[in-house]
Amino acid sequence: MAPSLDFSHWWAKEIRSGTPVVVTMQNPNYSVLEIDGPDAAAFRPAEKGRGRNAKQVTWVLLLKAHRAVGCVAWLAAGLWSLLGALKKRVFFGQGCSTESDKPGKGRLLFRFLRGFLVLSIAMLALEMIAYWKGWHFKKPNLQLPESLHMPETTAIQGWMHNAYLCWLAFRSNYIAYPIQVLSNFCIVLFMIQSLDRIILCLGCFWIKLKKIKPTIDGDPFKADDVESSGSEYPMVLIQIPMCNEREVYEQSISAACQIDWPRDRVLVQVLDDSNDETIMLLIRAEVSKWSQRGVNIVYRHRLVRTGYKAGNLKSAMSCDYVKDYEFVAIFDADFTPNPDFLKKTIPHFKGNPELGLVQARWSFVNKDENLLTRLQNINLCFHFEVEQQVNGVFLNFFGFNGTAGVWRIKALEDSGGWLERTTVEDMDIAVRAHLNGWKFIFLNDVKVLCEVPESYEAYRKQQHRWHSGPMQLFRLCLPAILKSKISVWKKANLVLLFFLLRKLILPFYSFTLFCVILPLSMFVPEAELPLWVICYIPVIMSFLNILPAPRSFPFIVPYLLFENTMSVTKFNAMVVGLFQLGSSYEWIVTKKAGRSSESDLLVAAERHSKPVGHLQLHRGVSESELMELNKLKDQQEEAPLPPPTKKGNQIYKKELALSLLLLTAAVRSLLSAQGIHFYFLLFQGVSFLLVGLDLIGEQMV
């Protein structure tokens, strides 16, 4: 029985004075009866808890037992589902495929993790034998204590005992010190990166407190005289690069064509790099439809598709008519800008000749689709609201996001234009423009709808490109940064903060500290990590990251675990880009669902199930294009229908190896009674297991 927390009898003794009174209600009058003397105690309220009988106690115990059984049943059901998925995907391989290991793409890292796992299992077996035989020693230290000195020969219980004692001595004298040095180095990097994040959050708080944001003076579209009324709207080029974007081409073209701007002063370029003829015809028909409605729009398709997105944009900027335009707005295929986008961005260029870029914020239509999209929303909200906004206000520089931005064409030309040397052409042009003295503005209140990847496979490939490209760019840009004429502190910001701290150090210490040193310290307890590194600081940093998305606070624990889980992908990508390995120049188009609005969530399934031949392809297309589409329809009707294919889940070997490694280390931590270490390793191991089995994000099988 839980103890009673009713303290009313304490203060009642102090405030009770005078004659006790009993009020009896008699309808319709009231009678007051005063009682004095020893009988008054009989009318005082009984103390709480004395009136409970055995039946009440039984009901309380039954309720608590019911809650406990429900919790256990929920955990058992989750464990049973996990074991079922493990059995189906690993042992039987139903609906699953293993990630491809191309040369230089994570193969060396997987071999390291596999060897580490085998070694940890062997050490766990040795520790278990030592524990059951009573050889287990507590309170380890870097220096071998007297209790661990080699005992007398008579005290040694066989060759296995002797081998275990030799292992303890070797571990303490030769292994613990290097691990402790590496651990301290990573902790220092961890603290520096945490300090950088705290400073960014303080900067964001200052911006909110002082209400600092870019402003527009007066009415930028109001002409000084009647004759020059049209000149207040500069010539704007809108570019929509895409490649096999069947799900989203229609919504992006439609949104770009409906932007509120004089039609004679805007041109929409649809830059199609598709290699699927069906998609090419569909996009061309969509362009023809808007062209016949009076929109100034052109369709471009490259014959030589080199350089990915950078090559596509570079080819479009080489057109002769581009010289007539002053600004260019870029939108990826899944972005749907509001009609007033140009009227909220272009005016910032007026009277500011040093301004080269105006970047808008992303907003996600599918952020609540599943757990993966919710966790991505946390990261991206922090990126835009904190990182981009603070750097834009205080430094006038940040990485261009590749879309939802407006460039001054002169700034692009002065910076060398689009280059095909990396897969992060947006960051490349931003760094070169910054070195040439151009300034950037970030508009946090101008949002453009888009979508985030809903499957872990698509998200993983996107993150690989986002973390390998910057390291590849760093190698290429470092000489230019050091030789540039910008100030020393701007060079230091670019090299130390923009590239090294946020692109190299962050994935390095995150993977090394929490995926290598932490499980290793369970088997080498002389180099144990302090509790504040494992628990307190990561929780505080996760809390800061989640502040820009307050509705995501219930997901703070999954967010912390998932960020550590993604560290293996980010670390691998960082190494690939830094050392120019095989997949450093690999671009895979991120899979999209085509959800531009909430209503499209209902239409998505119908769109995917409807064959091309049944689409309404006669929407204002030209006669020649209509003939081509009808020919394509006839060919599809004559061809036999392919059997329906189900998309299977992936098996990610590196994540699975790390999950087994962390779970093995969690079992080892039980022998040392390390509570927080055990729970962290357990939950982190389960997190790696869920990701390795592709049980997070979009479910297909």
Side-chain angles (χ1 to χ4, degrees), residues 127-137 157 161 164:
E127 293 289 343
M128 292 292 291
I129 294 174
Y131 184 83
W132 291 113
K133 287 184 174 292
W135 304 339
H136 189 259
F137 300 95
Q157 305 172 10
H161 190 193
Y164 180 69

Side-chain angles (χ1 to χ4, degrees), residues 220-384:
F221 303 108
K222 185 177 181 180
D224 297 333
D225 50 66
V226 178
E227 297 179 356
S228 61
S229 58
S231 63
E232 295 301 320
Y233 290 89
M235 300 289 286
V236 180
L237 184 67
I238 300 178
Q239 294 180 335
I240 311 176
M242 57 180 62
C243 180
N244 296 325
E245 307 281 3
R246 177 173 185 156
E247 296 82 6
V248 293
Y249 76 92
E250 189 174 0
Q251 65 192 38
S252 60
I253 295 175
S254 174
C257 292
Q258 296 181 60
I259 289 182
D260 186 12
W261 202 257
R263 291 191 173 183
D264 60 335
R265 308 194 69 80
V266 63
L267 172 65
V268 179
Q269 280 185 321
V270 179
L271 312 177
D272 184 21
D273 256 5
S274 303
N275 54 8
D276 188 324
E277 293 185 0
T278 303
I279 300 177
M280 291 168 54
L281 291 174
L282 292 173
I283 297 175
R284 196 179 303 169
E286 186 70 16
V287 171
S288 298
K289 179 187 76 172
W290 287 100
S291 178
Q292 293 189 5
R293 292 183 180 180
V295 177
N296 194 10
I297 184 173
V298 295
Y299 173 86
R300 282 182 56 86
H301 180 77
R302 293 192 299 163
L303 297 178
V304 181
R305 299 170 57 251
T306 59
Y308 302 113
K309 182 179 176 181
N312 199 359
L313 294 173
K314 181 180 179 180
S315 174
M317 295 298 293
S318 64
C319 298
D320 294 334
Y321 54 79
V322 173
K323 65 178 182 295
D324 299 329
Y325 293 85
E326 187 177 357
F327 303 102
V328 54
I330 303 174
F331 301 102
D332 282 350
D334 59 317
F335 281 71
T336 54
N338 291 327
D340 59 352
F341 176 82
L342 291 181
K343 289 188 174 181
K344 288 185 175 181
T345 54
I346 295 294
H348 291 277
F349 290 96
K350 186 176 181 180
N352 196 355
E354 296 181 348
L355 183 60
L357 168 68
V358 174
Q359 173 72 59
R361 179 174 175 170
W362 300 359
S363 180
F364 313 105
V365 296
N366 61 339
K367 61 184 178 182
D368 297 325
E369 180 64 19
N370 54 45
L371 178 60
L372 179 61
T373 58
R374 291 176 185 272
L375 300 180
Q376 291 180 73
N377 180 61
I378 296 173
N379 259 340
L380 292 171
C381 284
F382 182 86
H383 171 69
F384 286 110

Side-chain angles (χ1 to χ4, degrees), residues 599-668:
S599 59
D600 287 340
L601 297 174
L602 303 176
V603 184
E606 181 182 355
R607 177 188 301 171
H608 289 294
S609 62
K610 188 181 295 184
V612 179
H614 295 283
L615 291 174
Q616 298 297 326
L617 299 176
H618 56 274
R619 297 166 297 182
V621 299
S622 62
E623 184 177 353
S624 60
E625 290 170 344
L626 186 58
M627 292 176 61
E628 293 181 2
L629 294 175
N630 289 332
K631 187 183 299 183
L632 176 64
K633 178 180 178 180
D634 295 337
Q635 292 176 357
Q636 290 184 343
E637 289 178 351
E638 294 175 359
L641 293 176
T645 58
K646 289 186 177 181
K647 238 178 180 181
N649 295 76
Q650 292 280 343
I651 296 296
Y652 301 101
K653 296 186 292 185
K654 290 188 288 292
E655 284 78 0
L656 281 180
L658 268 171
S659 71
L660 297 177
L661 174 63
L662 293 172
L663 292 175
T664 303
V667 175
R668 171 61 182 86

Side-chain angles (χ1 to χ4, degrees), residues 81-243:
S81 301
L82 181 60
L83 293 176
L86 183 65
K87 177 181 177 182
K88 183 175 69 172
R89 299 184 183 185
V90 176
F91 297 102
F92 295 101
Q94 297 178 4
C96 301
S97 59
T98 306
E99 56 175 330
S100 59
D101 274 342
K102 298 180 181 179
K105 186 179 180 181
R107 181 173 295 179
L108 182 61
L109 179 60
F110 175 69
R111 289 176 179 174
F112 166 77
L113 294 175
R114 185 175 57 186
F116 192 8
L117 174 61
V118 173
L119 183 61
S120 65
I121 294 176
M123 289 190 293
L124 176 62
L126 180 61
E127 293 289 343
M128 292 292 291
I129 294 174
Y131 184 83
W132 291 113
K133 287 184 174 292
W135 304 339
H136 189 259
F137 300 95
K138 297 183 179 180
K139 297 182 180 179
N141 226 323
L142 283 177
Q143 299 296 329
L144 197 64
E146 295 182 0
S147 60
L148 291 185
H149 284 168
M150 295 295 293
E152 300 294 335
T153 307
T154 56
I156 298 179
Q157 305 172 10
W159 66 270
M160 186 173 291
H161 190 193
N162 188 21
Y164 180 69
L165 293 174
C166 292
W167 158 246
L168 292 181
F170 179 79
R171 185 182 75 185
S172 178
N173 294 330
Y174 299 101
I175 298 180
Y177 181 74
I179 295 177
Q180 191 67 60
V181 171
L182 180 60
S183 174
N184 293 336
F185 177 68
C186 291
I187 290 174
V188 171
L189 297 180
F190 184 26
M191 296 306 299
I192 293 174
Q193 196 273 335
S194 300
L195 180 62
D196 172 64
R197 185 140 301 191
I198 291 174
I199 292 175
L200 287 174
C201 291
L202 292 176
C204 182
F205 175 75
W206 181 259
I207 292 173
K208 298 290 185 183
L209 182 65
K210 297 296 182 179
K211 298 181 180 179
I212 303 173
K213 66 177 182 178
T215 57
I216 303 173
D217 297 331
D219 187 357
F221 303 108
K222 185 177 181 180
D224 297 333
D225 50 66
V226 178
E227 297 179 356
S228 61
S229 58
S231 63
E232 295 301 320
Y233 290 89
M235 300 289 286
V236 180
L237 184 67
I238 300 178
Q239 294 180 335
I240 311 176
M242 57 180 62
C243 180

Side-chain angles (χ1 to χ4, degrees), residues 398-413:
F398 47 82
F400 174 47
N401 295 118
T403 178
V406 181
W407 276 94
R408 191 189 296 270
I409 294 181
K410 188 175 185 299
L412 292 176
E413 295 173 347

